[in-house]
Coordinates of all heavy atoms in Angstrom, one line a residue:
P94 N 4.6 23.6 15.9 CA 3.8 22.5 16.5 C 2.6 23.1 17.2 O 2.6 24.2 17.7 CB 4.8 21.9 17.5 CG 6.1 22.3 17.1 CD 6.0 23.7 16.4
I95 N 1.5 22.2 17.3 CA 0.3 22.6 18.0 C 0.0 21.5 19.0 O 0.4 20.4 18.9 CB -0.9 22.9 17.1 CG1 -1.2 21.6 16.2 CG2 -0.6 24.1 16.2 CD1 -2.5 21.8 15.4
D96 N -0.8 21.9 20.0 CA -1.3 20.9 21.0 C -2.4 20.1 20.3 O -3.4 20.7 19.8 CB -1.9 21.6 22.2 CG -2.4 20.7 23.2 OD1 -2.2 19.5 23.2 OD2 -3.1 21.2 24.1
F97 N -2.3 18.8 20.3 CA -3.3 17.9 19.7 C -3.9 17.1 20.7 O -4.5 16.0 20.5 CB -2.6 17.1 18.5 CG -3.5 17.0 17.3 CD1 -3.6 18.0 16.4 CD2 -4.2 15.8 17.0 CE1 -4.3 17.9 15.3 CE2 -5.0 15.7 15.9 CZ -5.0 16.8 15.0
E98 N -3.8 17.5 22.0 CA -4.4 16.8 23.1 C -4.0 15.4 23.2 O -4.8 14.5 23.4 CB -5.9 17.0 23.1 CG -6.3 18.4 23.1 CD -7.8 18.7 22.7 OE1 -8.6 17.7 22.6 OE2 -8.1 19.8 22.5
T99 N -2.7 15.1 23.1 CA -2.1 13.8 23.2 C -2.0 13.4 24.7 O -1.9 14.2 25.6 CB -0.7 13.7 22.6 OG1 0.2 14.5 23.3 CG2 -0.8 14.1 21.1
A100 N -2.0 12.1 24.9 CA -1.9 11.6 26.3 C -0.5 12.0 26.9 O -0.5 12.2 28.1 CB -2.0 10.0 26.3
D101 N 0.5 12.1 26.1 CA 1.8 12.4 26.6 C 2.1 13.9 26.5 O 3.2 14.4 26.8 CB 2.9 11.6 25.9 CG 3.0 11.9 24.4 OD1 2.2 12.7 23.9 OD2 3.8 11.2 23.8
N102 N 1.1 14.7 26.2 CA 1.2 16.2 26.0 C 2.3 16.6 25.0 O 2.8 17.8 25.1 CB 1.5 16.8 27.4 CG 0.4 16.7 28.3 OD1 -0.8 16.8 27.9 ND2 0.7 16.4 29.6
R103 N 2.6 15.8 24.1 CA 3.6 16.2 23.0 C 2.8 16.9 21.9 O 1.7 16.6 21.6 CB 4.3 15.0 22.4 CG 5.3 14.4 23.4 CD 6.1 13.4 22.7 NE 7.1 12.9 23.6 CZ 8.1 12.1 23.3 NH1 8.2 11.8 22.1 NH2 8.9 11.7 24.2
E104 N 3.4 17.9 21.4 CA 2.8 18.7 20.3 C 3.1 18.0 19.0 O 4.1 17.2 18.8 CB 3.4 20.1 20.2 CG 2.9 20.9 21.5 CD 3.4 22.3 21.4 OE1 4.5 22.6 21.0 OE2 2.7 23.2 21.9
I105 N 2.3 18.3 18.0 CA 2.5 17.7 16.6 C 2.8 18.8 15.6 O 2.3 19.9 15.8 CB 1.3 16.8 16.2 CG1 0.0 17.6 16.0 CG2 1.0 15.7 17.2 CD1 -0.2 17.9 14.6
D106 N 3.5 18.4 14.6 CA 3.8 19.3 13.5 C 3.6 18.7 12.1 O 3.8 19.3 11.1 CB 5.1 19.9 13.6 CG 6.3 18.9 13.5 OD1 6.0 17.7 13.6 OD2 7.4 19.4 13.4
L107 N 3.1 17.4 12.1 CA 2.8 16.8 10.8 C 1.4 16.2 11.0 O 1.1 15.5 11.9 CB 3.8 15.7 10.5 CG 5.2 16.1 10.4 CD1 6.1 14.9 10.3 CD2 5.4 17.0 9.2
I108 N 0.5 16.4 10.0 CA -0.8 15.9 10.0 C -1.1 15.2 8.7 O -1.0 15.8 7.6 CB -1.9 17.0 10.2 CG1 -1.6 17.7 11.5 CG2 -3.3 16.4 10.2 CD1 -2.5 19.0 11.7
F109 N -1.5 13.9 8.8 CA -1.9 13.1 7.6 C -3.4 12.7 7.9 O -3.6 11.8 8.7 CB -1.0 11.9 7.4 CG -1.2 11.2 6.1 CD1 -0.5 11.6 5.0 CD2 -2.2 10.2 6.0 CE1 -0.6 10.9 3.8 CE2 -2.4 9.6 4.8 CZ -1.6 9.9 3.7
A110 N -4.3 13.4 7.4 CA -5.7 13.2 7.6 C -6.3 12.3 6.5 O -5.9 12.4 5.4 CB -6.5 14.5 7.7
V111 N -7.2 11.5 6.9 CA -7.9 10.6 5.9 C -9.4 10.6 6.1 O -9.9 10.4 7.2 CB -7.4 9.1 6.0 CG1 -8.0 8.3 4.9 CG2 -5.9 9.0 6.0
I112 N -10.1 10.9 5.0 CA -11.6 10.9 5.0 C -12.0 9.6 4.2 O -11.6 9.5 3.1 CB -12.2 12.1 4.4 CG1 -11.7 13.4 5.1 CG2 -13.7 12.0 4.3 CD1 -12.2 13.4 6.6
F113 N -12.8 8.8 4.9 CA -13.2 7.5 4.2 C -14.6 7.6 3.7 O -15.5 8.3 4.4 CB -13.1 6.4 5.3 CG -11.7 6.0 5.6 CD1 -11.1 6.6 6.6 CD2 -11.1 5.0 4.9 CE1 -9.8 6.2 7.0 CE2 -9.8 4.6 5.2 CZ -9.1 5.3 6.2
P114 N -15.0 6.9 2.7 CA -16.4 6.9 2.2 C -17.2 6.2 3.3 O -16.7 5.4 4.1 CB -16.3 6.0 0.9 CG -14.9 6.0 0.5 CD -14.1 6.2 1.8
D115 N -18.5 6.5 3.3 CA -19.4 6.0 4.3 C -19.9 4.6 3.8 O -21.0 4.4 3.3 CB -20.6 6.9 4.4 CG -21.5 6.6 5.6 OD1 -21.0 5.8 6.5 OD2 -22.6 7.1 5.7
K116 N -19.1 3.6 4.0 CA -19.4 2.2 3.6 C -19.3 1.3 4.8 O -18.5 1.5 5.7 CB -18.4 1.7 2.5 CG -18.5 2.5 1.2 CD -17.5 2.0 0.2 CE -17.5 2.8 -1.0 NZ -16.5 2.4 -2.0
E117 N -20.0 0.2 4.8 CA -20.0 -0.7 5.8 C -19.1 -1.9 5.4 O -19.6 -2.9 4.8 CB -21.4 -1.3 6.2 CG -22.3 -0.2 6.7 CD -21.9 0.3 8.0 OE1 -21.3 -0.4 8.8 OE2 -22.1 1.5 8.3
D118 N -17.8 -1.8 5.6 CA -16.9 -2.9 5.3 C -15.6 -2.8 6.1 O -15.4 -1.8 6.9 CB -16.6 -2.9 3.8 CG -16.0 -1.6 3.3 OD1 -15.4 -0.9 4.1 OD2 -16.1 -1.4 2.1
D119 N -14.8 -3.8 6.0 CA -13.5 -3.8 6.8 C -12.4 -3.0 6.1 O -11.3 -2.9 6.7 CB -13.1 -5.3 6.9 CG -14.0 -6.1 7.8 OD1 -14.7 -5.5 8.7 OD2 -14.1 -7.3 7.6
E120 N -12.6 -2.5 4.9 CA -11.6 -1.8 4.2 C -11.1 -0.6 5.0 O -9.9 -0.3 5.0 CB -12.1 -1.4 2.8 CG -11.0 -0.8 2.0 CD -11.4 -0.5 0.6 OE1 -12.4 -1.0 0.1 OE2 -10.8 0.3 -0.1
Y121 N -12.0 0.1 5.7 CA -11.7 1.3 6.5 C -10.6 0.9 7.5 O -9.6 1.6 7.6 CB -13.0 1.8 7.1 CG -12.8 2.8 8.2 CD1 -12.5 4.1 7.8 CD2 -13.1 2.6 9.5 CE1 -12.3 5.1 8.8 CE2 -13.0 3.5 10.5 CZ -12.6 4.8 10.1 OH -12.5 5.8 11.1
Q122 N -10.9 -0.1 8.3 CA -10.0 -0.5 9.4 C -8.6 -1.0 8.8 O -7.6 -0.6 9.3 CB -10.6 -1.5 10.3 CG -11.6 -1.0 11.3 CD -11.0 -0.1 12.3 OE1 -10.1 0.8 12.1 NE2 -11.4 -0.2 13.6
N123 N -8.7 -1.8 7.8 CA -7.5 -2.3 7.2 C -6.6 -1.2 6.6 O -5.4 -1.2 6.8 CB -7.8 -3.4 6.1 CG -8.4 -4.6 6.7 OD1 -8.2 -4.9 7.9 ND2 -9.2 -5.3 5.9
S124 N -7.2 -0.3 5.9 CA -6.5 0.8 5.3 C -5.9 1.7 6.4 O -4.7 2.1 6.3 CB -7.4 1.7 4.5 OG -7.9 1.0 3.4
L125 N -6.6 2.0 7.4 CA -6.1 2.8 8.5 C -4.9 2.1 9.2 O -3.9 2.8 9.5 CB -7.2 3.1 9.5 CG -6.9 4.1 10.6 CD1 -6.6 5.5 9.9 CD2 -8.1 4.3 11.5
Q126 N -5.0 0.8 9.4 CA -3.9 0.1 10.0 C -2.6 0.2 9.1 O -1.5 0.3 9.6 CB -4.3 -1.3 10.3 CG -5.2 -1.5 11.4 CD -5.8 -2.9 11.6 OE1 -5.5 -3.8 10.8 NE2 -6.7 -3.1 12.6
Q127 N -2.8 0.0 7.8 CA -1.7 0.1 6.9 C -1.1 1.5 6.9 O 0.2 1.6 6.9 CB -2.2 -0.2 5.5 CG -2.7 -1.6 5.3 CD -1.6 -2.7 5.5 OE1 -0.5 -2.5 5.0 NE2 -1.9 -3.7 6.2
I128 N -1.9 2.5 6.9 CA -1.4 3.9 7.0 C -0.6 4.2 8.2 O 0.5 4.7 8.2 CB -2.5 4.9 6.9 CG1 -3.2 4.8 5.5 CG2 -2.1 6.3 7.1 CD1 -4.5 5.5 5.3
V129 N -1.1 3.7 9.4 CA -0.3 3.8 10.6 C 1.0 3.2 10.5 O 2.0 3.7 10.9 CB -1.2 3.3 11.8 CG1 -0.3 3.2 13.1 CG2 -2.4 4.2 12.1
K130 N 1.0 2.0 10.0 CA 2.3 1.2 9.9 C 3.3 2.0 9.0 O 4.5 2.0 9.3 CB 2.1 -0.2 9.3 CG 1.4 -1.1 10.3 CD 1.1 -2.5 9.6 CE 0.4 -3.4 10.6 NZ 0.1 -4.7 9.9
V131 N 2.9 2.6 7.9 CA 3.8 3.3 7.1 C 4.3 4.6 7.7 O 5.5 4.9 7.7 CB 3.1 3.6 5.7 CG1 4.0 4.6 4.9 CG2 2.8 2.4 4.9
L132 N 3.4 5.3 8.4 CA 3.7 6.6 9.0 C 4.5 6.5 10.3 O 5.2 7.4 10.7 CB 2.5 7.5 9.2 CG 1.8 8.0 8.0 CD1 0.5 8.7 8.4 CD2 2.6 9.0 7.2
N133 N 4.4 5.4 10.9 CA 5.1 5.2 12.2 C 6.5 4.9 12.0 O 7.0 3.8 12.3 CB 4.3 4.1 13.0 CG 4.6 4.2 14.5 OD1 5.2 5.1 15.0 ND2 4.2 3.1 15.2
N134 N 7.3 5.8 11.5 CA 8.6 5.7 11.1 C 9.4 7.0 11.4 O 9.1 8.0 10.8 CB 8.7 5.3 9.6 CG 10.1 5.1 9.0 OD1 10.9 6.0 9.2 ND2 10.3 4.0 8.3
K135 N 10.4 6.9 12.2 CA 11.1 8.1 12.6 C 11.8 8.8 11.5 O 11.8 10.0 11.4 CB 12.1 7.7 13.7 CG 12.8 8.8 14.4 CD 13.7 8.3 15.6 CE 14.2 9.5 16.4 NZ 14.9 9.0 17.5
Q136 N 12.4 8.0 10.6 CA 13.2 8.6 9.4 C 12.2 9.3 8.5 O 12.5 10.4 8.0 CB 14.0 7.6 8.7 CG 15.3 7.2 9.3 CD 15.2 6.4 10.6 OE1 14.2 5.7 10.8 NE2 16.1 6.6 11.5
L137 N 11.0 8.7 8.3 CA 10.0 9.3 7.4 C 9.5 10.6 8.0 O 9.4 11.6 7.3 CB 8.8 8.3 7.2 CG 7.7 8.9 6.4 CD1 8.1 9.1 5.0 CD2 6.5 7.9 6.4
A138 N 9.3 10.6 9.3 CA 8.9 11.8 10.0 C 9.9 12.9 9.8 O 9.6 14.1 9.6 CB 8.6 11.6 11.5
K139 N 11.2 12.6 10.0 CA 12.2 13.6 9.9 C 12.3 14.1 8.4 O 12.4 15.4 8.3 CB 13.6 12.9 10.2 CG 14.7 13.9 10.2 CD 16.0 13.2 10.6 CE 17.1 14.3 10.6 NZ 18.4 13.7 11.0
L140 N 12.1 13.3 7.4 CA 12.1 13.8 6.1 C 10.9 14.7 5.8 O 11.1 15.7 5.2 CB 12.1 12.6 5.1 CG 13.4 11.8 4.8 CD1 13.1 10.6 4.0 CD2 14.3 12.7 4.1
L141 N 9.8 14.3 6.3 CA 8.5 15.1 6.0 C 8.6 16.4 6.7 O 8.1 17.4 6.3 CB 7.3 14.3 6.5 CG 6.9 13.1 5.7 CD1 5.8 12.3 6.4 CD2 6.6 13.5 4.3
R142 N 9.3 16.4 7.8 CA 9.5 17.7 8.6 C 10.4 18.7 8.0 O 10.3 19.9 8.1 CB 9.9 17.3 10.0 CG 9.9 18.3 11.1 CD 10.1 17.7 12.5 NE 8.8 17.1 12.9 CZ 8.7 15.8 13.2 NH1 9.7 15.0 13.1 NH2 7.5 15.3 13.5
T143 N 11.5 18.2 7.4 CA 12.6 19.0 6.9 C 12.5 19.3 5.4 O 13.1 20.3 4.9 CB 13.9 18.4 7.2 OG1 14.0 17.1 6.6 CG2 14.2 18.3 8.7
T144 N 11.7 18.6 4.7 CA 11.6 18.9 3.2 C 10.7 20.1 3.0 O 9.6 20.2 3.5 CB 11.0 17.6 2.5 OG1 11.9 16.5 2.8 CG2 10.9 17.8 1.0
Q145 N 11.1 21.0 2.1 CA 10.4 22.2 1.9 C 9.8 22.3 0.5 O 9.3 23.4 0.1 CB 11.4 23.4 2.1 CG 11.9 23.4 3.5 CD 10.9 23.6 4.5 OE1 10.0 24.4 4.4 NE2 10.9 22.8 5.6
S146 N 9.8 21.3 -0.3 CA 9.2 21.4 -1.7 C 8.1 20.4 -1.8 O 8.2 19.2 -1.4 CB 10.3 21.2 -2.7 OG 10.0 20.2 -3.6
L147 N 7.0 20.8 -2.5 CA 5.9 19.9 -2.7 C 6.3 18.7 -3.5 O 5.8 17.6 -3.2 CB 4.8 20.7 -3.4 CG 4.0 21.7 -2.6 CD1 3.0 22.5 -3.5 CD2 3.2 21.0 -1.5

Side-chain angles (χ1 to χ4, degrees):
I95 59 172
D96 178 14
F97 223 78
E98 301 166 11
T99 62
D101 61 2
N102 293 320
R103 290 192 178 186
E104 294 183 323
I105 64 97
D106 62 349
L107 301 172
I108 301 173
F109 191 92
V111 186
I112 301 295
F113 289 90
D115 191 16
K116 296 179 181 176
E117 295 297 325
D118 58 23
D119 293 332
E120 187 176 340
Y121 170 71
Q122 284 291 43
N123 293 334
S124 295
L125 192 58
Q126 289 171 359
Q127 296 293 318
I128 292 167
V129 169
K130 287 178 184 178
V131 173
L132 290 175
N133 201 11
N134 178 308
K135 190 174 187 175
Q136 280 70 29
L137 177 64
K139 184 177 179 180
L140 280 172
L141 292 172
R142 190 168 284 118
T143 58
T144 302
Q145 299 301 312
S146 129
L147 286 172

